Amino acid sequence: MARSLGRLFKGFQSPAFPKAMGAELCPATCVSVRTPFVRTILALPSAFSSKPQDFSLPNSSWGPEMLRLYNHYKSQCEVEVEGEEKQEGPWQRLPSYNRSLKFTPGGVYLSKTIQSKARLFTRNITDPGAAFEYVLFVNKEKQKCVGIFQTGHLLEGPPGHVHGGAIATMIDTVTGSHATVLSGPVMTANLNINYRSPIQLGHTVLIESSLDKMESRKTFISCKVTGTDGSKLYTEATALFLSISVSHLLGG
């Protein structure tokens, strides 16, 4: 599975990248990449709208557990220091939009029809609560990332339960975002998943990602999906990501 180019773009800003992940820092941004043959432009959603919608903020569909965990981690994004203004805390929230690519790899321009309909897979359903409701937080010090995931009714696989592919998608999203924070632009090389217990539709789960090791271009990550109190294990996974260059993606 390839990481979305929007995520890869964020990696370009390293080492300042982690500081730019807060909800308040979402400026219109455009990067031009020139080759002898093409001029390819990658743009964040803000290139299409002056006020892009951040879908990782609370909405009316979020249940009590989703909101509780969101507030728990959000409260650790800023800390109060006596006699000083609030400072950056150990956790940072990663904003999430519904699209990121204006041009296809190789510089082939997308038609206006396709361009207007293109959406990141986890954000291609805009009805609140219907599919993927999630928010990601990263902790650079502990080298951890967490995803709070509320499962919508359109993700059904086995009757009344979440499709295994939807769970895999969220694991790839959390671990891939984590690897990007650690290593810059990456692509998934391997994803091994062990499903331990089915997840009921409408439930909120916690997806926790931890760094195992880094070797040259390789980033190894472990992940587990649990209940919100951590007592029930739903899924375990390991992932390998390879660092890549921008020219590798835009080579056609």
Side-chain angles (χ1 to χ4, degrees):
M1 300 178 205
R3 304 266 55 77
S4 73
L5 287 180
R7 180 184 300 151
L8 294 177
F9 169 77
K10 295 186 180 74
F12 303 162
Q13 300 173 342
S14 182
F17 163 56
K19 293 183 179 179
M21 296 184 299
E24 303 79 13
L25 301 178
C26 308
T29 313
C30 186
V31 172
S32 296
V33 181
R34 293 181 182 275
T35 73
F37 307 102
V38 297
R39 180 175 183 273
T40 304
I41 299 177
L42 302 182
L44 287 178
S46 47
F48 301 90
S49 169
S50 59
K51 292 183 179 180
Q53 182 177 353
D54 184 349
F55 287 91
S56 65
L57 294 172
N59 63 54
S60 59
S61 75
W62 285 22
E65 279 298 281
M66 183 81 173
L67 285 169
R68 181 183 69 80
L69 285 171
Y70 171 83
N71 288 327
H72 169 73
Y73 285 101
K74 187 69 171 68
S75 68
Q76 299 179 64
C77 290
E78 288 185 332
V79 294
E80 292 186 4
V81 179
E82 189 174 349
E84 299 179 22
E85 294 183 355
K86 287 185 178 180
Q87 297 182 2
E88 184 179 291
W91 291 90
Q92 293 297 308
R93 183 179 67 84
L94 305 183
S96 179
Y97 306 101
N98 66 6
R99 63 161 307 165
S100 60
L101 184 64
K102 185 176 181 181
F103 286 69
T104 59
V108 181
Y109 189 77
L110 292 173
S111 73
K112 288 185 178 180
T113 301
I114 295 176
Q115 198 182 121
S116 65
K117 295 182 178 180
R119 294 291 181 267
L120 296 179
F121 181 64
T122 56
R123 297 301 185 191
N124 64 356
I125 297 173
T126 57
D127 184 16
F132 296 93
E133 289 293 339
Y134 67 93
V135 57
L136 308 185
F137 291 89
V138 66
N139 187 315
K140 293 178 288 179
E141 268 186 41
K142 294 184 178 180
Q143 297 182 317
K144 292 182 179 295
C145 182
V146 298
I148 308 164
F149 174 36
Q150 180 178 287
T151 62
H153 61 274
L154 295 183
L155 303 183
E156 187 174 38
H161 293 82
V162 182
H163 193 288
I167 298 169
T169 294
M170 281 308 306
I171 288 173
D172 191 42
T173 297
V174 175
T175 56
S177 297
H178 190 192
T180 300
V181 171
L182 296 169
S183 305
V186 296
M187 293 187 76
T188 310
N190 183 270
L191 185 60
N192 287 311
I193 300 176
N194 291 311
Y195 296 96
R196 302 298 186 188
S197 183
I199 301 172
Q200 288 186 324
L201 292 176
H203 276 209
T204 298
V205 295
L206 194 62
I207 305 173
E208 299 177 281
S209 168
S210 301
L211 174 67
D212 289 336
K213 61 181 178 178
M214 299 173 72
E215 294 178 352
S216 185
R217 294 176 54 221
K218 298 178 180 179
T219 302
F220 296 84
I221 287 179
S222 295
C223 182
K224 62 180 181 179
V225 183
T226 68
T228 55
D229 62 0
S231 62
K232 186 174 181 64
L233 178 65
Y234 290 106
T235 312
E236 291 177 297
T238 58
L240 166 61
F241 297 92
L242 292 181
S243 297
I244 60 171
S245 65
V246 181
S247 59
H248 176 82
L249 280 178
L250 302 179

